[in-house]
Amino acid sequence: MIRIVEDFKDVDTYLYLRDKVGWVKLDKSQASLALNNCQKIFTVFDDDKPIGMGRIVSDLAVISYIQDLIIVPEYQGKHIGSMLINKLIEYVESIRLPNTKMMLCLMCAKGREEFYKKHGFIERPTPDLGPGMIQYLV
């Protein structure tokens, strides 16, 4: 049975899910800080097996980020990612101040653009917005 658990902040689960999708390895202290300092976490389980996670990082007023939208490969393509992203968007809508706009951002993995477009996200650059940019500090 697929279920979503709110604010399950288990470092080993987070590291396991990141490893399953081949993401950059984090040490336990870094993973713990990431979980404890984000605004909201939703973890997806199939019975007791963790199969996905999504996190929100936010200032609670102007901007929120979807961070770490993870679905393990054997569960991809089964609408679990859509269920999770809808839960994340619903949460951000719930914290948005009345009569205000809040920007909801994410950094999309290459090749996943169509998935996010289906959920209302736009690609940058646009005529009005420059490209998203990052810097890795090592």
Side-chain angles (χ1 to χ4, degrees):
M1 174 181 198
I2 304 296
R3 62 191 172 92
I4 297 178
V5 176
E6 194 170 332
D7 295 328
F8 182 74
K9 296 182 178 185
D10 182 72
V11 172
D12 291 329
T13 298
Y14 181 46
L15 293 173
Y16 164 80
L17 290 169
R18 289 180 63 90
D19 183 62
K20 289 290 281 182
V21 294
W23 286 2
V24 172
K25 294 199 181 310
L26 306 177
D27 67 31
K28 280 195 168 193
S29 62
Q30 189 179 24
S32 179
L33 279 170
L35 293 177
N36 288 325
N37 288 317
C38 67
Q39 184 63 36
K40 182 59 68 180
I41 301 171
F42 293 105
T43 307
V44 185
F45 291 88
D46 184 357
D47 292 322
D48 291 329
K49 177 183 176 183
I51 61 167
M53 178 182 284
R55 299 189 304 128
I56 297 291
V57 177
S58 180
D59 66 12
L60 302 176
V62 177
I63 193 162
S64 290
Y65 294 90
I66 292 178
Q67 189 62 39
D68 297 339
L69 183 68
I70 304 168
I71 302 296
V72 298
E74 57 267 30
Y75 284 85
Q76 292 175 7
K78 298 181 179 184
H79 306 289
I80 295 166
S82 290
M83 180 176 67
L84 184 54
I85 199 165
N86 288 335
K87 190 80 170 164
L88 293 164
I89 293 168
E90 178 184 292
Y91 171 76
V92 173
E93 280 288 354
S94 79
I95 63 172
R96 187 169 52 88
L97 297 171
N99 304 311
T100 66
K101 289 183 180 181
M102 180 182 275
M103 191 181 324
L104 178 57
C105 305
L106 60 82
M107 294 293 287
C108 173
K110 194 164 186 68
R112 303 288 190 209
E113 296 85 355
E114 293 306 314
F115 171 79
Y116 291 106
K117 283 182 189 178
K118 286 190 313 190
H119 295 282
F121 290 87
I122 60 170
E123 288 184 83
R124 293 178 68 167
T126 69
D128 297 320
L129 300 169
M133 300 175 78
I134 63 170
Q135 180 184 77
Y136 286 107
L137 304 175
V138 294

